[in-house]
Amino acid sequence: MQLDQSPFYRTVITPWYDSNLACYILVFFLSLVLLIAGVGIWVAVTRIEYAAFFWFPVMLAAMSAFVMGKICFRVVNRNRNS
């Protein structure tokens, strides 16, 4: 990250893709992916013909939950330090 050129404060300039608004939008879309993965898990459990594909929605849910957790942790740390 770049530092502000002011010699008094030296605040960190956050890029647009790492701003709080961008993180909130990303968490929203990841929650939609998590919801879709939950529906996929439900379908794979209830339908015997899709039982072989159970691993895909589980991995999709795990990856989206992991990224969502990392983004939430980043936003909380940024707001706590500010």
Side-chain angles (χ1 to χ4, degrees):
M1 288 191 239
Q2 299 174 349
L3 290 177
D4 191 8
Q5 295 301 322
S6 174
F8 296 107
Y9 296 109
R10 293 287 186 195
T11 58
V12 176
I13 300 171
T14 306
W16 68 269
Y17 52 85
D18 197 26
S19 66
N20 284 343
L21 180 62
C23 288
Y24 294 145
I25 291 171
L26 189 58
V27 165
F28 172 73
F29 283 114
L30 284 172
S31 65
L32 291 178
V33 170
L34 191 61
L35 179 70
I36 291 169
V39 171
I41 292 171
W42 177 74
V43 168
V45 168
T46 58
R47 301 279 182 136
I48 198 70
E49 60 267 12
Y50 295 120
F53 303 110
F54 177 73
W55 64 271
F56 186 77
V58 169
M59 289 301 296
L60 187 64
M63 288 187 290
S64 65
F66 177 75
V67 173
M68 190 184 315
K70 295 284 282 186
I71 291 172
C72 290
F73 183 71
R74 177 185 295 174
V75 169
V76 167
N77 277 342
R78 185 183 310 141
N79 289 338
R80 187 182 311 152
N81 292 337
S82 297

